[in-house]
Amino acid sequence: MNENNKQVILEAVNLTKKYDDGVLALDNLNFAIYENEIFAMLGGNGAGKTTTINIFLNLLEPTSGDAKVCGVSSHIEPLVVKKNLAYVSENVMLYPNFTALQNLDFFSQLGGQDSLTKDHYQEVLIRVGLAEQVHNNKLKGFSKGMRQKCGIAIAILKDTKAILFDEPTSGLDPKAGYEFIQLLNDLKGEGKAVLMSTHDIFRAKEAADTIAIMNDGKFLMKEKASTLFDKDLESLYMQYMAGHAPQPASEGV
Amino acid sequence: MLKTLVEKEIREIIGSPKFTYTFIVCLVLILLSFYSGAVSYKDNVTHWEAAKAENLQSFEGIKEWYRVQENRIFLPPQPLATLVSGVSNDIGRTSNIEPSGEVTADDSRYNEEPAYAYFRFIDLEFIFLVVLALFAIMLGYDAICGEKEKGTLKLCLSNAIPRTKFLMGKFIGAFSVLSISLIISIGLGCLLLPLLGVHLSSEEWIRLGLIVVAGLLYFGLFLAMSVMVSSFTQRTATSFLILLIIWISSTLILPRVAVMVSGRAVDVPTVDELGYQKAMYATEQWKSFLNSLDNYTPIENEDMEEVMANFNKFMDSISIAREERMNIYRSRLNEQRYNKELERSQIAFALARISPSSSLSLASSTLAGTSPELKDQFYQQAKNYQTSLKEFLNEKTGMNMGGGFIMTISESDAPEKDPIDPTEIPQFKFEPESLSKSVQKALPDFGLLILFNCIFIAGAFVSFNRYDAR
Ligand SMILES: Nc1ncnc2c1ncn2[C@@H]1O[C@H](COP(=O)(O)OP(=O)(O)OP(=O)(O)O)[C@@H](O)[C@H]1O
Ligand SMILES: [Mg+2]
């Protein structure tokens, strides 16, 4: 359980999920994400990324295996697990008739943070890039990217050991996307473990410590970003997806 | 945690336009029902007092007690009928009491004013039954599937809150919002009552309070049911549709079907059939009465007074005997019919109670004193009154009143007699059922309402725990 004396935060052990209709969405998946680590799952539509995240959130029961957070299985003690997890969905939806601040207040309290003040909320909203003049606007007037920023703010406020991002950069403009990567690095610096699913190869390479390419519920590749440092991730991805696993010592670009 | 959820729920409901409309409609309808109830109560009181005065008037100029052949009695209007009309407008409220013979009641309000019968009055009970249930549905149909459609359910459940708590928050939030708006509306209505000249006794206030409690239980169960349906449907439109179907069947269809089914199950002879049988028997008795009269030979005596006394004595004996036989026959028929009727209505009510709307109706009308039993209560008390009227007249006239001939001598030169004093005639005073008895009778329906609440709340928890929140 140790990699340079770091603690494992998120862990999948032989994680398998077969849906009722017979689709094998996760096929004996194994990974471990340590504190101070950003783990990116790349993969096509239907690869099983959201399924993985849903099992961590106990919205799905695994068919077999475990999804563990700080050593606790999500389907055995979901409430303990959820205390240590923050989550940002691919399309953040909040209460449309509440303002940004009201939404933040409600979700922070749900997340167990009940001593936060308006100042905290505003600070975090500014940190995720939401201008102060919209903090008191109702969510129904927000664009997708603005909602995404609120969602990220909620995850930050929950202040957990692990954060799950499902396609966090979808809907963010280039500047916000860039800022999001900065933010991820900040969070990592605070010791958090981040599991992020994404279609964005560029951002994945930029931010992640570990990158996995997923297809049909399996990892085709799982590498430290440092070892991929000089490789063209995009062509690598294409090769994997086409079913030709490149030789271990494939040449760089 | 629960507090956060409840607060959010309340804030969300109060901030939504649907609540504003709901509250305004609720307030307007309730005030309207209080107003129209009060106005119609006062009409009824005026009507009742006029009828009583007119009845007294009809005795004017009568000098002999034996000429008082009948007295009309009237069921007084009940103040709570303004809020829960029950059967109060349907049953006969006037009864012509003769010293002997059948006691019947007629002149129902709806009989006199058919337009009202057609559209019925809007009373508080109707508002509870139909409108409140609909509001509960409107507040609850999207409790869970709406959060899912909005996309907020997943984010909520990614926090360490047990699903039961989440559901409780929904339920308590919606319940408190609507019950507070209801209590505000009813409170304003109650303030209106004395201004409109309707004064409730403290016992009637307690009854009204209990009716409101029944209404809240009914609202609670519809809310729980809506939350339950919302937690096994994926889409708000589906949930709303299912709930509308349940709403219509339970408020409008089920109770009527129950009465229809029980009508088929138990055959009750109609009043006309009974009337025919009684008339046949009466004719028979009349014939034998006349026969005995034929066989009467007046005594030989010079003294007219004695002849007359003898005749009257004979008359009394045969008419009392006839009357007794008729009474026995009539009451046997009536009792048979009453028992059948009772059996039928028991079946009807038992079946109808599948729908909680029936429980609410029965509980609230029992508490308001306007349940179907009102008819029986009036009938029983009218019968008792008949006895006391008969005793009174017998005493006044020294004869057995009713059902025979009376021989009198009119002495043209006798001194002018004073007219009778009609206020001496015993007054009819309707005794409503005691509070404790009403409560006792309403208790099973309260129990059913609570049971339905528990069932639906449990159902909501079970289905939400299995709900696919993704
Ligand atoms: N409720 C479900 N019932 C049956 N099969 C499902 C269900 N949800 C997902 N699947 C299947 O499971 C597989 C993995 O789906 P998943 O949503 O995890 O993919 P994903 O990697 O998140 O895709 P995307 O990038 O499009 O979001 C797919 O083949 C999908 O069809
Ligand atoms: Mg997905």
Side-chain angles (χ1 to χ4, degrees), chain A residues 19-26 43-52 54 60 90 166-167 197-199 214 216-217, chain B residues 468 470:
Chain A
Y19 282 105
D20 292 342
D21 57 3
V23 177
L24 187 64
L26 293 183
N45 296 120
K49 304 181 295 292
T50 303
T51 304
T52 309
N54 281 342
L60 279 177
E90 46 197 313
D166 200 350
E167 293 172 36
S197 93
T198 183
H199 293 144
M214 193 179 197
D216 281 343
Chain B
D468 184 358
R470 284 174 297 150

Short mmCIF file of all heavy atoms in Angstrom, two decimals, chain A residues 19-26 43-52 54 60 90 166-167 197-199 214 216-217, chain B residues 468 470, ligand 1:
data_model
loop_
_atom_site.label_atom_id
_atom_site.label_comp_id
_atom_site.label_asym_id
_atom_site.label_seq_id
_atom_site.Cartn_x
_atom_site.Cartn_y
_atom_site.Cartn_z
N TYR A 19 -23.86 -5.08 -16.18
CA TYR A 19 -25.23 -4.54 -16.06
C TYR A 19 -26.25 -5.66 -16.26
O TYR A 19 -25.94 -6.71 -16.81
CB TYR A 19 -25.46 -3.43 -17.08
CG TYR A 19 -24.84 -2.11 -16.67
CD1 TYR A 19 -23.67 -1.65 -17.27
CD2 TYR A 19 -25.41 -1.35 -15.66
CE1 TYR A 19 -23.10 -0.45 -16.89
CE2 TYR A 19 -24.84 -0.14 -15.28
CZ TYR A 19 -23.69 0.30 -15.89
OH TYR A 19 -23.14 1.49 -15.52
N ASP A 20 -27.47 -5.36 -15.82
CA ASP A 20 -28.54 -6.36 -15.90
C ASP A 20 -28.75 -6.87 -17.33
O ASP A 20 -29.14 -8.01 -17.54
CB ASP A 20 -29.86 -5.77 -15.38
CG ASP A 20 -29.77 -5.51 -13.89
OD1 ASP A 20 -28.87 -6.09 -13.25
OD2 ASP A 20 -30.58 -4.71 -13.36
N ASP A 21 -28.50 -5.98 -18.30
CA ASP A 21 -28.73 -6.41 -19.68
C ASP A 21 -27.53 -7.15 -20.26
O ASP A 21 -27.46 -7.40 -21.45
CB ASP A 21 -29.12 -5.22 -20.56
CG ASP A 21 -28.06 -4.13 -20.53
OD1 ASP A 21 -27.01 -4.34 -19.88
OD2 ASP A 21 -28.27 -3.08 -21.15
N GLY A 22 -26.57 -7.46 -19.42
CA GLY A 22 -25.46 -8.31 -19.87
C GLY A 22 -24.22 -7.55 -20.32
O GLY A 22 -23.20 -8.18 -20.60
N VAL A 23 -24.28 -6.23 -20.36
CA VAL A 23 -23.11 -5.47 -20.79
C VAL A 23 -22.03 -5.54 -19.70
O VAL A 23 -22.29 -5.25 -18.53
CB VAL A 23 -23.48 -3.98 -21.03
CG1 VAL A 23 -22.23 -3.18 -21.39
CG2 VAL A 23 -24.52 -3.86 -22.11
N LEU A 24 -20.86 -5.95 -20.11
CA LEU A 24 -19.76 -6.00 -19.15
C LEU A 24 -19.06 -4.64 -19.21
O LEU A 24 -18.24 -4.38 -20.08
CB LEU A 24 -18.79 -7.13 -19.51
CG LEU A 24 -17.67 -7.39 -18.50
CD1 LEU A 24 -18.22 -7.85 -17.16
CD2 LEU A 24 -16.68 -8.41 -19.05
N ALA A 25 -19.41 -3.76 -18.29
CA ALA A 25 -18.92 -2.39 -18.36
C ALA A 25 -17.54 -2.26 -17.72
O ALA A 25 -16.73 -1.44 -18.14
CB ALA A 25 -19.90 -1.45 -17.68
N LEU A 26 -17.28 -3.05 -16.68
CA LEU A 26 -15.95 -3.04 -16.06
C LEU A 26 -15.48 -4.48 -15.94
O LEU A 26 -16.21 -5.35 -15.48
CB LEU A 26 -16.01 -2.42 -14.66
CG LEU A 26 -16.34 -0.93 -14.57
CD1 LEU A 26 -16.28 -0.48 -13.11
CD2 LEU A 26 -15.39 -0.11 -15.42
N GLY A 43 -10.59 7.47 -22.51
CA GLY A 43 -11.31 6.35 -23.12
C GLY A 43 -12.47 6.84 -23.92
O GLY A 43 -13.00 7.92 -23.69
N GLY A 44 -12.86 5.99 -24.89
CA GLY A 44 -13.95 6.37 -25.79
C GLY A 44 -15.28 6.37 -25.06
O GLY A 44 -15.36 6.03 -23.87
N ASN A 45 -16.30 6.72 -25.78
CA ASN A 45 -17.64 6.67 -25.20
C ASN A 45 -17.99 5.23 -24.89
O ASN A 45 -17.77 4.34 -25.69
CB ASN A 45 -18.67 7.25 -26.18
CG ASN A 45 -18.42 8.72 -26.45
OD1 ASN A 45 -18.19 9.13 -27.58
ND2 ASN A 45 -18.41 9.52 -25.40
N GLY A 46 -18.51 5.02 -23.70
CA GLY A 46 -18.91 3.67 -23.31
C GLY A 46 -17.76 2.82 -22.80
O GLY A 46 -17.90 1.60 -22.65
N ALA A 47 -16.63 3.43 -22.50
CA ALA A 47 -15.47 2.65 -22.05
C ALA A 47 -15.67 2.14 -20.62
O ALA A 47 -15.12 1.11 -20.24
CB ALA A 47 -14.21 3.51 -22.12
N GLY A 48 -16.45 2.87 -19.84
CA GLY A 48 -16.68 2.44 -18.45
C GLY A 48 -16.22 3.45 -17.42
O GLY A 48 -16.17 3.16 -16.23
N LYS A 49 -15.90 4.66 -17.86
CA LYS A 49 -15.37 5.66 -16.93
C LYS A 49 -16.44 6.09 -15.91
O LYS A 49 -16.19 6.08 -14.69
CB LYS A 49 -14.89 6.90 -17.72
CG LYS A 49 -13.86 6.58 -18.79
CD LYS A 49 -13.37 7.82 -19.53
CE LYS A 49 -14.44 8.51 -20.36
NZ LYS A 49 -14.94 7.77 -21.53
N THR A 50 -17.59 6.45 -16.42
CA THR A 50 -18.66 6.89 -15.51
C THR A 50 -19.09 5.75 -14.60
O THR A 50 -19.38 5.96 -13.41
CB THR A 50 -19.85 7.43 -16.32
OG1 THR A 50 -19.38 8.49 -17.16
CG2 THR A 50 -20.93 7.97 -15.42
N THR A 51 -19.10 4.54 -15.14
CA THR A 51 -19.46 3.38 -14.32
C THR A 51 -18.50 3.26 -13.13
O THR A 51 -18.94 3.06 -11.99
CB THR A 51 -19.41 2.10 -15.18
OG1 THR A 51 -20.28 2.27 -16.29
CG2 THR A 51 -19.84 0.89 -14.37
N THR A 52 -17.21 3.44 -13.39
CA THR A 52 -16.23 3.37 -12.31
C THR A 52 -16.55 4.40 -11.22
O THR A 52 -16.60 4.09 -10.02
CB THR A 52 -14.81 3.66 -12.86
OG1 THR A 52 -14.60 2.83 -13.99
CG2 THR A 52 -13.75 3.41 -11.82
N ASN A 54 -19.36 5.93 -10.65
CA ASN A 54 -20.63 5.62 -9.97
C ASN A 54 -20.48 4.55 -8.91
O ASN A 54 -21.18 4.58 -7.89
CB ASN A 54 -21.68 5.19 -11.00
CG ASN A 54 -22.28 6.38 -11.72
OD1 ASN A 54 -22.16 7.51 -11.26
ND2 ASN A 54 -22.90 6.13 -12.86
N LEU A 60 -23.93 2.58 -7.80
CA LEU A 60 -24.00 1.26 -8.42
C LEU A 60 -23.30 0.29 -7.49
O LEU A 60 -22.33 0.65 -6.83
CB LEU A 60 -23.24 1.26 -9.75
CG LEU A 60 -23.91 1.81 -10.99
CD1 LEU A 60 -22.92 1.76 -12.15
CD2 LEU A 60 -25.16 1.02 -11.33
N GLU A 90 -20.20 15.34 -15.11
CA GLU A 90 -19.83 15.85 -16.43
C GLU A 90 -20.69 17.05 -16.82
O GLU A 90 -20.29 17.88 -17.60
CB GLU A 90 -19.92 14.75 -17.48
CG GLU A 90 -21.19 13.93 -17.40
CD GLU A 90 -21.07 12.61 -18.17
OE1 GLU A 90 -20.61 12.66 -19.31
OE2 GLU A 90 -21.45 11.56 -17.63
N ASP A 166 -15.76 13.78 -13.35
CA ASP A 166 -16.19 13.12 -14.58
C ASP A 166 -16.21 14.16 -15.70
O ASP A 166 -17.08 15.02 -15.73
CB ASP A 166 -17.59 12.51 -14.38
CG ASP A 166 -17.90 11.43 -15.40
OD1 ASP A 166 -17.13 11.29 -16.38
OD2 ASP A 166 -18.90 10.72 -15.22
N GLU A 167 -15.24 14.08 -16.57
CA GLU A 167 -15.11 15.05 -17.67
C GLU A 167 -15.26 16.49 -17.19
O GLU A 167 -16.16 17.21 -17.62
CB GLU A 167 -16.14 14.73 -18.76
CG GLU A 167 -15.82 13.41 -19.42
CD GLU A 167 -16.92 12.95 -20.36
OE1 GLU A 167 -17.51 13.81 -21.00
OE2 GLU A 167 -17.15 11.74 -20.43
N SER A 197 -12.00 11.48 -15.19
CA SER A 197 -12.21 10.88 -16.50
C SER A 197 -12.22 12.01 -17.51
O SER A 197 -12.70 13.11 -17.21
CB SER A 197 -13.53 10.12 -16.53
OG SER A 197 -14.56 10.95 -17.02
N THR A 198 -11.66 11.76 -18.67
CA THR A 198 -11.63 12.86 -19.64
C THR A 198 -11.46 12.34 -21.05
O THR A 198 -11.04 11.21 -21.29
CB THR A 198 -10.49 13.85 -19.30
OG1 THR A 198 -10.53 14.93 -20.22
CG2 THR A 198 -9.14 13.20 -19.35
N HIS A 199 -11.88 13.17 -21.98
CA HIS A 199 -11.63 12.88 -23.40
C HIS A 199 -10.50 13.75 -23.92
O HIS A 199 -10.13 13.68 -25.07
CB HIS A 199 -12.89 13.17 -24.23
CG HIS A 199 -14.02 12.26 -23.91
ND1 HIS A 199 -15.33 12.65 -23.91
CD2 HIS A 199 -14.04 10.94 -23.58
CE1 HIS A 199 -16.10 11.63 -23.59
NE2 HIS A 199 -15.34 10.58 -23.38
N MET A 214 -8.58 3.48 -21.35
CA MET A 214 -9.59 2.49 -21.00
C MET A 214 -10.43 2.15 -22.20
O MET A 214 -10.78 3.01 -23.01
CB MET A 214 -10.48 3.08 -19.91
CG MET A 214 -11.36 2.09 -19.22
SD MET A 214 -12.29 2.96 -17.97
CE MET A 214 -12.84 1.60 -16.99
N ASP A 216 -13.66 -0.86 -23.18
CA ASP A 216 -14.45 -2.03 -22.80
C ASP A 216 -14.21 -2.49 -21.36
O ASP A 216 -14.09 -3.68 -21.10
CB ASP A 216 -14.15 -3.20 -23.75
CG ASP A 216 -14.89 -3.04 -25.07
OD1 ASP A 216 -15.84 -2.22 -25.10
OD2 ASP A 216 -14.51 -3.70 -26.05
N GLY A 217 -14.09 -1.55 -20.47
CA GLY A 217 -13.98 -1.89 -19.06
C GLY A 217 -12.62 -2.37 -18.62
O GLY A 217 -12.47 -2.88 -17.51
N ASP B 468 -32.66 4.12 -8.61
CA ASP B 468 -31.44 4.31 -9.39
C ASP B 468 -31.21 5.82 -9.53
O ASP B 468 -31.87 6.49 -10.31
CB ASP B 468 -31.63 3.67 -10.76
CG ASP B 468 -30.38 3.76 -11.59
OD1 ASP B 468 -29.39 4.36 -11.11
OD2 ASP B 468 -30.38 3.24 -12.71
N ARG B 470 -28.60 7.44 -10.58
CA ARG B 470 -27.59 7.94 -11.52
C ARG B 470 -28.15 8.96 -12.49
O ARG B 470 -29.29 8.87 -12.91
CB ARG B 470 -27.03 6.77 -12.32
CG ARG B 470 -26.07 5.94 -11.50
CD ARG B 470 -25.66 4.72 -12.25
NE ARG B 470 -26.80 3.88 -12.51
CZ ARG B 470 -26.90 3.08 -13.58
NH1 ARG B 470 -25.94 3.05 -14.47
NH2 ARG B 470 -27.95 2.32 -13.74
N1 LIG C 1 -27.83 1.58 -16.86
C1 LIG C 1 -27.14 0.86 -17.76
N2 LIG C 1 -27.63 -0.31 -18.17
C2 LIG C 1 -26.95 -1.05 -19.05
N3 LIG C 1 -25.78 -0.71 -19.59
C3 LIG C 1 -25.26 0.46 -19.22
C4 LIG C 1 -25.91 1.30 -18.28
N4 LIG C 1 -25.14 2.40 -18.09
C5 LIG C 1 -24.06 2.24 -18.88
N5 LIG C 1 -24.13 1.08 -19.56
C6 LIG C 1 -23.11 0.54 -20.48
O1 LIG C 1 -21.90 0.43 -19.78
C7 LIG C 1 -20.83 0.79 -20.62
C8 LIG C 1 -19.98 1.84 -19.95
O2 LIG C 1 -20.73 3.04 -19.83
P1 LIG C 1 -20.15 4.35 -19.14
O3 LIG C 1 -21.24 5.28 -18.98
O4 LIG C 1 -19.41 3.94 -17.93
O5 LIG C 1 -19.15 4.88 -20.24
P2 LIG C 1 -18.23 6.20 -20.24
O6 LIG C 1 -16.84 5.73 -20.31
O7 LIG C 1 -18.57 7.07 -19.12
O8 LIG C 1 -18.67 6.86 -21.60
P3 LIG C 1 -18.76 8.42 -22.00
O9 LIG C 1 -17.40 8.85 -22.35
O10 LIG C 1 -19.65 8.42 -23.18
O11 LIG C 1 -19.33 9.14 -20.85
C9 LIG C 1 -21.43 1.23 -21.94
O12 LIG C 1 -21.33 0.14 -22.86
C10 LIG C 1 -22.87 1.49 -21.61
O13 LIG C 1 -23.66 1.16 -22.71
#
